[in-house]
Amino acid sequence: MKSALPLVIAAAMSLSGTAALAADAQQLLKDKACLSCHTLDKKLIGPAYKDVAAKYKARKDAEAYLTKKIREGSTGVWGAIPMPPNAAVSADEAKTLAKYVLTVK
């Protein structure tokens, strides 16, 4: 019988990676003022992150699409209020945020 240790290690690394992503993203949400317009589960000025995740979950390029929207902003996707561009958010930070948003349920 083969050892299950490699599977256990892989699962633990995956979970710790998910936890690290969430922690990094939650700090970015605060630092980049994302929470001024968004919350996890309720519409504020912009949509709730759970609604964004639900809308784009089936889209194959969801992460890249949201990364671009985070940096460049958008108009008319979620209503009349535009999301302004976020020049203070780097490409890597936007990718971290997009990955995280897509995990919100």
Side-chain angles (χ1 to χ4, degrees):
M1 179 185 225
K2 291 186 177 182
S3 170
L5 186 58
L7 293 174
V8 171
I9 291 171
M13 289 175 64
S14 174
L15 289 175
S16 66
T18 301
L21 171 66
D24 290 347
Q26 288 169 3
Q27 189 61 51
L28 284 171
L29 292 173
K30 293 174 189 170
D31 293 348
K32 303 301 180 177
C34 303
L35 299 175
S36 298
C37 296
H38 300 277
T39 70
L40 293 178
D41 59 356
K42 294 181 196 133
K43 180 180 181 349
L44 193 56
I45 294 169
Y49 291 133
K50 71 175 185 138
D51 295 334
V52 174
K55 181 173 184 168
Y56 297 112
K57 70 181 176 183
R59 193 173 168 145
K60 290 181 181 182
D61 69 336
E63 185 181 312
Y65 176 81
L66 291 177
T67 297
K68 182 177 179 181
K69 292 294 184 183
I70 290 167
R71 295 204 66 217
E72 296 178 7
S74 66
T75 303
V77 176
W78 293 91
I81 299 173
M83 181 172 150
N86 292 290
V89 177
S90 72
D92 287 341
E93 291 168 335
K95 186 173 182 177
T96 297
L97 290 168
K99 278 184 183 181
Y100 175 70
V101 167
L102 290 168
T103 70
V104 177
K105 295 187 187 308

